[in-house]
């Protein structure tokens, strides 16, 4: 039986309205929140995964990926380092690829979490780690996946700004300058493989909030509980 790390519906977290700003949030079916002059994907998970309460962090500076095979790092296993780029679309696509890729053969549950957290914004007032760590299964499920030598790779098709975000930006172009947080929807495909020749693939899509301040590298802020078109 195939065990999946990232199911199409995710592990689902509901965002509260306690951490809303204004401009990046997409007001579509309560996915994103718009309030005042500067919006962003915010909210705090009420359904936080037990395994994500105290993840290990990796704060070392990263370098742009070269596209070649890299030796797994001790603290983050096979999870790639965040690219040093300032383009929201490019960064969101790289982040989606990171979230849809994993290798239980070389990476522990703790290393996967540490690798994911290295992509997060260091501005704690904006970052919603709960929505990102909720993509992970619990340690027991990860262990079962490791028993099957399960791993996954991702192919990105495209990334775009959702319609509601573009409209919000058109209505108030200056609002983005408060936090420089952008909403991006990414689509692609996840290919999975496991022991004894097992394999499968599925189309994937995700809406992320990424922060890209001028003259600074982008970082991940949050993941929407649903996909915004």
């Amino acid at each position: 039986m195939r065990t999946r790390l990232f199911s199409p519906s995710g592990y689902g977290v509901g965002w509260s309205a306690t951490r809303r700003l204004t401009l990046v949030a997409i007001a579509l079916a309560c996915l994103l929140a718009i309030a005042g002059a500067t919006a962003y994907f915010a909210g705090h998970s009420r359904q936080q995964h037990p395994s994500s309460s105290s993840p290990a962090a990796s704060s070392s500076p990263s370098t742009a990926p070269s596209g070649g095979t890299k030796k797994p790092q001790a603290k983050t296993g096979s999870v790639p380092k965040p690219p040093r780029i300032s383009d929201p679309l490019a960064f969101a696509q790289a982040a989606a690829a990171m979230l849809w890729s994993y290798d239980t053969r070389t990476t522990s549950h703790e290393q996967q979490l540490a690798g994911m957290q290295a992509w997060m914004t260091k501005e704690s007032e904006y970052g919603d780690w709960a929505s990102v760590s909720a993509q992970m299964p619990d340690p027991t499920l990860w262990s079962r996946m490791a028993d099957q030598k399960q791993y996954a790779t991702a192919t990105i098709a495209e990334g775009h700004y959702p319609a509601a975000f573009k409209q919000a930006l058109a209505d108030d172009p200056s609002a983005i300058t408060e936090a420089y947080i952008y909403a991006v929807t990414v689509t692609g495909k996840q290919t999975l493989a496991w022991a004894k020749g097992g394999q499968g693939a599925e189309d994937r899509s995700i809406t992320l909030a990424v922060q890209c301040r001028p003259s600074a590298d982008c970082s991940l802020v949050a993941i929407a509980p649903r996909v915004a078109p």
Side-chain angles (χ1 to χ4, degrees):
M1 178 182 296
R2 181 176 65 170
T3 305
R4 287 182 295 185
L5 171 57
F6 299 113
S7 66
S9 58
Y11 280 81
V13 290
W15 290 358
S16 72
T18 59
R19 303 173 71 188
R20 290 186 294 186
L21 287 184
T22 63
L23 165 58
V24 167
I26 304 171
L28 292 176
C30 299
L31 301 182
L32 312 166
I34 295 180
T38 308
Y40 104 102
F41 281 113
H44 196 71
S45 172
R46 294 179 179 273
Q47 191 177 353
Q48 193 169 6
H49 202 285
S51 66
S52 62
S53 57
S54 55
S58 173
S59 58
S60 58
S62 59
T63 57
S66 62
T69 301
K70 292 186 176 182
K71 182 178 179 180
Q73 300 299 307
K75 294 183 179 180
T76 60
S78 62
V79 183
K81 292 182 179 181
R84 301 190 63 176
I85 52 180
S86 57
D87 177 10
L89 291 175
F91 183 85
Q93 292 179 68
M98 178 274 294
L99 292 169
W100 296 338
S101 304
Y102 59 89
D103 193 340
T104 64
R105 301 169 302 177
T106 62
T107 307
S108 69
H109 187 268
E110 292 76 14
Q111 288 174 324
Q112 188 75 19
L113 281 172
M116 292 165 62
Q117 194 174 57
W119 289 65
M120 295 294 294
T121 177
K122 301 304 185 290
E123 298 182 37
S124 59
E125 65 270 32
Y126 299 126
D128 183 9
W129 169 242
S131 70
V132 177
S133 61
Q135 303 297 304
M136 280 286 288
D138 61 38
T140 300
L141 178 55
W142 185 270
S143 178
R144 291 175 180 172
M145 292 163 57
D147 290 341
Q148 299 180 41
K149 297 179 171 43
Q150 184 170 321
Y151 62 96
T153 57
T155 302
I156 302 302
E158 62 88 32
H160 65 272
Y161 298 120
F165 172 75
K166 290 192 292 185
Q167 184 59 56
L169 189 59
D171 291 343
D172 188 357
S174 66
I176 192 73
T177 60
E178 176 70 21
Y180 288 96
I181 297 175
Y182 302 78
V184 181
T185 293
V186 180
T187 59
K189 178 173 291 186
Q190 183 187 48
T191 302
L192 304 98
W194 54 94
K196 299 181 180 179
Q199 59 183 340
E202 57 188 10
D203 294 330
R204 301 301 309 274
S205 58
I206 190 172
T207 298
L208 312 94
V210 299
Q211 185 177 47
C212 300
R213 290 190 179 279
S215 303
D217 298 330
C218 294
S219 57
L220 182 59
V221 171
I223 299 173
R226 298 192 185 102
V227 177

